[in-house]
Structure formats: C-alpha cells, structure tokens
C-alpha cells in the first residue's frame, strides 16, 4: 500500500482557523484583566476572593470571561473604572449568555460592527441606544439557541 502525500485538511478550514486566530489576537490586544490584575483594582488581598467574585458575576450574567490555556481573561470594556460590571451591559449579556453564546463569540459580537445595528458596534452604542442594542443582542442570541 502506497502513502499519498495529501493534505487532508480542506483549504477553507485552514483559512477559517487563520481568521479566527487573527480575530482572537486583535481581541487580546485590547485592554483585559486577569484575576490577579482585577483583584488589585478591586483591592482584594486574596486571589481566591477575586476568583469567587468573578464566578458570582458570571453566574449573574453580569460578566463574561475567556480562557487561554489555564489563564482567565476578563475583557476590560465590561467594567467601569472601579472594576464593577457596567449596568448597561447586563441585559445584553443576559440575552447572549442565556442563549449559550460562548466568550469568544460574545466578545467579538460586542466589539465588532454588526449588520443588526447598521454596522454599529454594540459596546459603542449600548450607553446611547440601549434598547436598540438589547434588541440586536436578542436577535443574535435567537440564532444561537440550542435546538430543543
């Protein structure tokens, strides 16, 4: 039996993986917190206090994180200057996280222009047009609900 020198990965899959990696690099170039840096901002003396705080905010759908290896990353735009979750983001996160949208997809949707907002960026519009952004989030989320 002879072995063929074939690339078994379709070119479209390779291109999609490259685009996803580029998108994640761009996201990670924006301001982010780790549990450690957020703990410093919040004045927590123990890392476990910050981890618990982050877990509670995630459970309340007031905050989302992404993981890179063993590192938890918290996109900074979702927090105010004191490190508290931005209130205007809560209904948007509730809709998206409730639909099972994962951290990377959620992060991308929030910071990249979307046709659902005529090319507007949700995080840029959520303070000035909260109802419009909430409706766009609900429409986006409805496309990502798991099948029953």
């Amino acid at each position: 039996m002879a072995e063929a020198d074939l690339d078994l990965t379709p070119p479209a899959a390779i291109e999609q993986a490259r685009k996803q990696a580029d998108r994640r690099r761009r996201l990670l170039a924006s301001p982010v917190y780790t549990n450690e840096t957020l703990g410093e901002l919040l004045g927590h003396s123990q890392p476990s206090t910050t981890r618990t705080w982050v877990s509670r905010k995630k459970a309340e759908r007031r905050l989302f994180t992404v993981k890179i290896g063993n590192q938890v990353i918290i996109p900074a735009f979702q927090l105010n200057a004191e490190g508290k979750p931005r209130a205007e983001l809560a209904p948007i996160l509730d809709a998206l996280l409730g639909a099972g949208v994962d951290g990377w997809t959620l992060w991308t949707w929030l910071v990249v222009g979307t046709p659902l907002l005529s090319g507007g960026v949700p995080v840029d519009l959520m303070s000035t047009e909260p109802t419009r952004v909430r409706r766009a989030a609900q429409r986006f989320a409805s496309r990502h609900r798991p099948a029953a």
Side-chain angles (χ1 to χ4, degrees):
M1 179 184 244
E3 288 187 29
D5 187 20
L6 297 174
D7 185 0
L8 299 178
T9 306
I14 293 169
E15 181 61 18
Q16 182 177 8
R18 187 192 62 72
K19 285 181 180 180
Q20 183 180 49
D22 287 346
R23 185 179 321 116
R24 288 183 178 186
R25 272 193 291 281
R26 285 192 307 274
L27 291 173
L28 290 169
S30 66
V32 297
Y33 292 104
T34 62
N35 282 322
E36 293 76 20
T37 59
L38 182 57
E40 291 171 14
L41 176 64
L42 294 172
H44 295 162
S45 59
Q46 298 294 321
S48 61
T49 304
T50 306
R51 285 190 300 274
T52 299
W53 185 88
V54 168
S55 292
R56 285 184 181 148
K57 297 305 174 194
K58 284 176 62 177
E60 295 167 2
R61 295 184 183 158
R62 306 262 339 261
L63 185 74
F64 74 94
T65 63
V66 296
K67 280 191 87 172
I68 302 174
N70 293 328
Q71 184 75 49
V72 172
I73 302 295
I74 303 135
F77 72 85
Q78 60 189 325
L79 304 170
N80 64 21
E82 293 80 39
K84 306 293 183 188
R86 293 173 59 186
E88 65 269 25
L89 189 55
I92 300 163
L93 289 181
D94 188 51
L96 297 169
L97 291 169
V101 178
D102 72 15
W104 288 107
T105 302
L106 177 58
W107 192 358
T108 301
W109 189 82
L110 286 167
V111 301
V112 174
T114 175
L116 295 171
L117 293 169
S118 304
V121 176
V123 75
D124 293 344
L125 298 173
M126 68 184 184
S127 295
T128 58
E129 300 183 56
T131 302
R132 188 170 171 230
V133 175
R134 188 183 73 251
R135 286 185 192 140
Q138 290 167 340
R139 285 193 304 268
F140 182 78
S142 70
R143 299 175 188 167
H144 288 81
R145 292 208 187 277

